Amino acid sequence: MSNAMKELIEGLSQPQKMISPKYFYDEVGSQLFEEITELPEYYLTDAELEIMRRYVDEMVELIGKQASLIEFGSGSSLKTRILLGHLDELAAYVPVDISADHLQASAQQTRRDFPELAVHPVVADFTRPFDLPTPDITPVKNVIYFPGSTLGNFEYAEAMELLRVMRDEAGDGGALLIGLDLQKDPDIIHRAYNDSEGVTAKFNLNMLRHLNTNYGANFDLDAFEHRAEYDEEKGRVVLELVSQKDQNVTIGDAEFAIADGETILTEYSHKYTLKGFARMAHDAGFEVEKVWKDPDKLFSVQYCVRA
Ligand code: AVJ
């Protein structure tokens, strides 16, 4: 049995059933996420882009010349392009992604758009240590780029583990440039995950369709509903799929009973305080050197140096 299959079955065998948010992103799911980023309620992408546009010169100054920029994720985003458009003296750009296809396609596009840039894609699961390529020019330092508040998908212990992987990949004198969503008025957060057009609901439910198509599951998509609640105490949005009846679902040879009202946890989206993240960074071996925010103080981009 594939590792993915084992992981899926294990997640659905827990008392709180769960499926990792990475199963959101098949082709349809990636398209739906794009649509989410264009929703008026989903402030995250606009706010982060605004920060990048306003402060890219300060970021470039801190990153310095002849650095290697190592992006955790495939790097097809507009944010990355803003950064690359202003970093004209990079030793290398290293996008790291688990999907070889996705990575190759976006690396090709990056090469077309930035012909002078040394692009060295690495296929790897970035939550585990991986080997960096050796560019022709030896980098002065490694700067990890992790936009999009993706750290927020990880629970505290996993987030700390990931930050430590980043510290080790950054190496001596290295740094981390990270985009993080901030705690704010709970209504604003609630609306961002309960949009009026129901795109987030489609995105959440699409995970089940993806498992049906690609992992031999038989979820009845009409028998689940989207739920997203902001837990202010824990500072995180909890995305779930709520079963609308008692039902049995099979995936491969495994069968699961799901009760009426029972939930499958599909995603956490943690929201940070500046203090809270500074402490996490510190405990992982980084110090926050600079924080940029959008004018409404919804989102932050933070530059952290290795302690
Ligand atoms: C891509 C993880 C940043 O948490 O806001 C959007 C994913 N989930 N709407 C987020 C998501 C529901 C998104 N991240």
Side-chain angles (χ1 to χ4, degrees):
M1 198 190 301
S2 71
N3 285 332
M5 203 68 168
K6 270 186 221 147
E7 180 188 57
L8 287 166
I9 290 171
E10 187 179 297
L12 291 167
S13 305
Q14 305 296 317
Q16 168 64 68
K17 293 183 169 61
M18 52 184 98
I19 305 171
S20 162
K22 67 186 174 204
Y23 294 100
F24 281 137
Y25 301 98
D26 67 337
E27 214 168 305
V28 178
S30 299
Q31 181 55 44
L32 286 167
F33 179 65
E34 276 302 307
E35 276 179 49
I36 287 175
T37 65
E38 286 155 18
L39 292 167
E41 295 101 327
Y42 194 76
Y43 60 84
L44 288 82
T45 312
D46 285 346
E48 188 172 17
L49 274 171
E50 163 114 33
I51 297 167
M52 297 308 291
R53 293 197 178 102
R54 268 183 193 238
Y55 300 111
V56 66
D57 290 338
E58 292 180 29
M59 294 175 195
V60 165
E61 187 70 30
L62 285 170
I63 291 168
K65 295 186 194 311
Q66 307 298 340
S68 177
L69 187 74
I70 302 159
E71 178 161 358
F72 278 39
S74 80
S76 49
S77 81
L78 206 47
K79 302 151 215 165
T80 306
R81 308 171 61 74
I82 294 172
L83 206 49
L84 291 178
H86 287 78
L87 279 165
D88 43 2
E89 286 187 71
L90 272 187
Y93 169 60
V94 182
V96 183
D97 201 276
I98 198 159
S99 157
D101 291 350
H102 197 169
L103 191 63
Q104 281 318 324
S106 82
Q108 280 313 327
Q109 188 60 46
T110 306
R111 288 193 182 101
R112 272 196 293 275
D113 296 340
F114 303 96
E116 312 281 88
L117 187 62
V119 182
H120 294 277
V122 171
V123 179
D125 170 1
F126 61 59
T127 64
R128 311 247 157 261
F130 56 90
D131 289 332
L132 289 171
T134 318
D136 293 341
I137 301 168
T138 305
V140 170
K141 64 175 154 189
N142 292 330
V143 179
I144 312 292
Y145 184 44
F146 196 39
S149 205
T150 306
L151 187 73
N153 274 178
F154 296 84
E155 285 201 75
Y156 181 81
E158 280 84 32
M160 289 304 297
E161 220 178 281
L162 179 52
L163 287 170
R164 291 192 181 103
V165 170
M166 292 180 176
R167 176 206 52 202
D168 292 343
E169 299 292 341
D172 286 332
L176 164 66
L177 183 67
I178 184 168
L180 295 167
D181 197 14
L182 298 174
Q183 292 185 13
K184 62 183 67 66
D185 177 352
D187 290 339
I188 295 177
I189 298 175
H190 190 266
R191 279 198 291 275
Y193 295 85
N194 291 278
D195 65 278
S196 55
E197 290 173 48
V199 183
T200 309
K202 264 198 219 161
F203 172 74
N204 199 2
L205 282 158
N206 175 67
M207 183 187 269
L208 301 182
R209 198 200 46 76
H210 175 39
L211 297 192
N212 287 352
T213 310
N214 297 297
Y215 296 92
N218 70 342
F219 287 98
D220 173 2
L221 269 62
D222 295 328
F224 289 89
E225 263 179 24
H226 164 72
R227 178 189 289 166
E229 300 282 8
Y230 180 53
D231 180 340
E232 205 176 343
E233 191 94 0
K234 294 205 167 76
R236 67 189 184 192
V237 175
V238 183
L239 246 78
E240 296 171 305
L241 291 163
V242 189
S243 177
Q244 300 300 297
K245 61 179 188 194
D246 292 332
Q247 52 183 322
N248 289 314
V249 172
T250 62
I251 171 161
D253 295 331
E255 186 172 35
F256 303 95
I258 309 180
D260 189 5
E262 191 179 346
T263 63
I264 302 171
L265 172 66
T266 52
E267 185 178 52
Y268 288 128
S269 187
H270 287 83
K271 310 302 171 192
Y272 298 91
T273 61
L274 295 188
K275 238 187 177 165
F277 179 70
R279 167 166 287 270
M280 287 176 73
H282 175 84
D283 290 349
F286 282 112
E287 297 302 331
V288 177
E289 191 170 291
K290 178 84 196 173
V291 177
W292 298 275
K293 288 184 258 176
D294 56 293
D296 297 325
K297 300 182 169 52
L298 300 172
F299 200 91
S300 70
V301 176
Q302 311 200 19
Y303 189 81
C304 315
V305 294
R306 260 195 56 159

